[in-house]
Amino acid sequence: PVVTGMEVEEKPEVSYDQIGGLEEQVREVKETVELPLKKPELFEKIGIEPPKGVLLYGPPGTGKTLLAKAVAHETNATFIKIVASEFVRKYIGEGARLVRGVFELAKEKAPSIIFIDEIDAVAAKRLKSSTSGDREVQRTLMQLLAELDGFESRGNVGIVAATNRPDILDPALLRPGRFDRFIEVPLPNEDARREILKIHTSGMALAEEVDIELLSRITDGASGADLKAICTEAGMFAIREERDEVTMADFMDAVDKIMGVEKEEEYKQE
Ligand code: ATP
């Protein structure tokens, strides 16, 4: 069935070398998600249950989706992404059935990675007052927990969930045998920003004076997604002026534009 809010990709094209920074996170994801898919016999031999699911948490745009896609790529797995908040909004009364459907599809298409984005939308701590909407969210969560409990982690399906709000998650989700590893995906530091800028400028026609070092220094607070936006924006300035190279001035204008917008949004929220 065609389900919006779900995206299926056979072996995504993203590889680990397209991820800047996050070496430690890549290592952990390899060990917890990749290894059980690639070498289930290692776990059998030693006699332990492989981890079933990992939870990635951190600010938006830091590479959580990229990480999940890279694992799928590396394991030749089908990548199945669902956005929990969209499920709740679009399929009132059907959330639980859809969760079941997603797990069935994952088994059919195995090996596969189920990526559940914005999991907090269905897995926030139980609220005291319960409207019918809350009860629907509850039912979806219960089904998700049932699926997590029911499935054999050696069954060629890995689960990766992501959230910006780990603080509001229902502790039931975090019990052993469900999501048993938490991996923080933070904003990039200067070194990571340099790596990310290198990745996103690697195919660009850069003027000689473009100084990636300097750019990585002045973009404190930018996420990977912001850095990508800065590169695209700089390219747009060059195109608009019909130049065939992107200059440092283009990048500086792009930094102002992208970082400036963020500051304004923060200001509005206060
Ligand atoms: P959200 O929480 O908003 O879903 P996310 O953490 O899943 O965000 P991604 O979707 O992985 O973020 O990142 C968005 C885009 O930003 C990526 O497609 C990529 O182009 C760029 N990006 C983010 N982080 C990195 C990174 N560490 N290295 C390279 N590119 C990055």
Side-chain angles (χ1 to χ4, degrees):
V2 183
V3 179
T4 51
M6 176 167 91
E7 172 194 318
V8 180
E9 214 176 310
E10 318 271 341
K11 195 182 178 182
E13 284 305 314
V14 180
S15 59
Y16 290 118
D17 55 18
Q18 283 165 265
I19 303 177
L22 304 182
E23 286 83 13
E24 184 61 22
Q25 288 80 356
V26 166
R27 198 187 55 68
E28 271 199 70
V29 163
K30 279 188 170 179
E31 185 184 307
T32 50
V33 190
E34 200 180 302
L35 201 58
L37 282 176
K38 275 189 167 168
K39 301 197 167 150
E41 69 280 2
L42 290 181
F43 293 85
E44 248 155 77
K45 225 193 222 156
I46 296 293
I48 57 166
E49 286 280 329
K52 236 182 226 181
V54 301
L55 178 74
L56 307 177
Y57 66 95
T62 46
K64 297 182 285 300
T65 309
L66 277 188
L67 266 171
K69 281 195 176 177
V71 190
H73 174 88
E74 196 64 31
T75 52
N76 291 314
T78 310
F79 179 77
I80 303 174
K81 171 179 163 174
I82 60 177
V83 181
S85 56
E86 285 182 34
F87 257 47
V88 176
R89 210 159 35 80
K90 288 202 188 122
Y91 300 100
I92 300 161
E94 290 189 283
R97 190 175 63 80
L98 282 162
V99 168
R100 214 176 316 131
V102 168
F103 277 77
E104 267 163 28
L105 180 72
K107 278 172 216 158
E108 229 169 79
K109 299 243 175 199
S112 48
I113 301 287
I114 302 178
F115 179 65
I116 310 172
D117 205 3
E118 300 178 27
I119 194 168
D120 45 279
V122 293
K125 279 178 196 130
R126 281 155 228 227
L127 305 162
K128 291 218 179 64
S129 74
S130 80
T131 64
S132 67
D134 294 338
R135 281 194 296 276
E136 161 60 12
V137 170
Q138 275 307 309
R139 270 195 297 277
T140 308
L141 174 60
M142 295 321 284
Q143 187 61 41
L144 179 60
L145 296 178
E147 294 293 340
L148 287 171
D149 292 341
F151 101 168
E152 266 289 321
S153 41
R154 281 162 210 168
N156 272 338
V157 179
I159 305 176
V160 180
T163 182
N164 309 321
R165 297 291 315 273
D167 53 308
I168 62 168
L169 292 183
D170 190 323
L173 199 69
L174 311 179
R175 285 223 310 262
R178 290 173 178 169
F179 289 96
D180 21 34
R181 282 283 189 111
F182 314 120
I183 303 176
E184 184 179 8
V185 185
L187 285 173
N189 62 17
E190 188 180 321
D191 287 341
R193 291 197 297 276
R194 187 185 316 112
E195 292 313 309
I196 295 171
L197 284 167
K198 277 188 194 155
I199 290 167
H200 291 291
T201 52
S202 69
M204 290 174 72
L206 300 183
E208 210 175 323
E209 85 275 3
V210 171
D211 185 347
I212 300 291
E213 288 292 326
L214 177 63
L215 289 170
S216 57
R217 234 175 299 135
I218 62 169
T219 44
D220 187 30
S223 67
D226 293 332
L227 294 168
K228 184 191 183 183
I230 287 169
C231 295
T232 304
E233 201 57 50
M236 289 308 297
F237 285 131
I239 289 174
R240 243 173 260 147
E241 293 183 8
E242 297 179 23
R243 276 183 273 108
D244 48 18
E245 272 183 346
V246 187
T247 62
M248 189 61 179
D250 292 329
F251 276 97
M252 296 307 277
D253 288 344
V255 168
D256 273 349
K257 181 162 175 186
I258 301 298
M259 306 284 288
V261 169
E262 289 227 320
K263 293 269 149 32
E264 263 167 47
E265 270 172 12
E266 269 167 36
Y267 177 72
K268 270 189 231 143
Q269 277 171 13
E270 273 164 19

